[in-house]
Amino acid sequence: MINRLTGQLDFQAQALALRSERQRVIASNIANADTPGYVARDFNFSQALRDATASLPRPPASGAASPTASNDLGAPIAGPLLDGGFGRLKPTTDLRYATPAQTNLDSNTVDMDRERAAFADNALKFEASLRFINGSVRTMTDAMKSPNQG
Amino acid sequence: MSMFRIFDVSGSAVSAQSQRLNVVASNLANADTVAGPDGQAYKARQVVFQTALMDAGGDPASSAGVRVSTIKEDASPGRRVHDPKHPAADAEGYVTYSNVNAVQEMVDMISASRSYQNNVEVMNTAKNLLQKTLQMGQS
């Protein structure tokens, strides 16, 4: 039962961890904008999220929630991402090399316009994930409250 | 939280860029330095950036900071001006100035300050996001 409440939370937690990972990769690219020979890197977010959430327990199909057949409490709440504890990411974020739009004399392939856009985009989506988490936390606490608690 | 690494990465970049800015400042300050009769004028300097990989508790390649590997001296000859009355003139009446190219230094300065700003912006964004993460579930 509790798994069904936290399932959504797990998914958003994975997304949040991957977003922070991507933020770090983009920050590295921006930091190395003037380093000769540096190659900009990035990863495919949707693929990484799909890999990271592949083994999350899916909510059972509707109507199948008979208390005898459910092993909902058996599965650990933490997903595959939290293998080695918090902060030790285990997702397969295989980093790819970005293809430069223009060649550069010092063979640096950081495109600052693209990196800035990706950074802003990623920051916004990070916040979105945070809001989803806050929303489901609020939903859960509301559900736990007694009716006369406001 | 791997996002704390952003401060290391961007911080190293900011420090490298400020070192570059320092070098530009000393180059510009010495743009008109005159060599004495021994011919040893100020040589323009240039920082050389290098990627510094940082281990982020996982894939070390995913967070790459910057460090200044060396400060190279520009080996080109200094500007020579014929001015026999100058106190620093050599036997042939030539004064050797430093080999600083002021235009190039100005361009370098603008580039360094823009990169500095970018990295500060990255750190500000990361700080905001982390603050919001700390407030998770409180509102």
Side-chain angles (χ1 to χ4, degrees), chain A residues 24 28 31-32 34 88 116 127 134, chain B residues 2 17 56-57 64 115 118 137:
Chain A
R24 192 157 54 81
S28 299
N32 282 285
D34 292 329
R88 291 269 305 166
R116 241 192 302 257
E127 279 202 58
N134 278 335
Chain B
S2 58
Q17 296 291 351
S115 298
N118 281 335

Side-chain angles (χ1 to χ4, degrees), chain A:
Chain A
M1 176 60 196
I2 196 77
N3 258 10
R4 225 169 313 152
L5 291 177
T6 55
Q8 175 72 10
L9 217 53
D10 271 353
F11 180 81
Q12 293 297 342
Q14 310 272 7
L16 202 64
L18 280 172
R19 284 280 169 217
S20 71
E21 182 88 352
R22 177 145 190 258
Q23 198 79 350
R24 192 157 54 81
V25 172
I26 299 172
S28 299
N29 288 346
I30 293 179
N32 282 285
D34 292 329
T35 312
Y38 180 82
V39 195
R41 321 197 68 182
D42 204 348
F43 63 86
N44 186 339
F45 183 84
S46 59
Q47 186 60 50
L49 185 61
R50 211 172 298 136
D51 289 350
T53 57
S55 56
L56 275 187
R58 300 274 164 216
S62 59
S66 66
T68 48
S70 105
N71 58 348
D72 275 351
L73 285 176
I77 290 175
L81 192 63
L82 312 178
D83 268 341
F86 254 116
R88 291 269 305 166
L89 296 181
K90 265 323 244 170
T92 50
T93 54
D94 56 337
L95 287 176
R96 309 282 177 81
Y97 295 105
T99 327
Q102 304 176 46
T103 51
N104 208 335
L105 269 183
D106 58 3
S107 69
N108 178 312
T109 65
V110 179
D111 181 347
M112 267 314 289
D113 299 322
R114 192 180 56 197
E115 299 300 337
R116 241 192 302 257
F119 192 81
D121 170 76
N122 202 58
L124 206 64
K125 287 173 177 164
F126 184 95
E127 279 202 58
S129 279
L130 269 180
R131 272 186 206 197
F132 290 141
I133 291 178
N134 278 335
S136 37
V137 167
R138 201 172 310 127
T139 312
M140 270 193 277
T141 48
D142 281 355
M144 289 169 190
K145 276 179 192 159
S146 73
N148 47 12
Q149 253 184 315

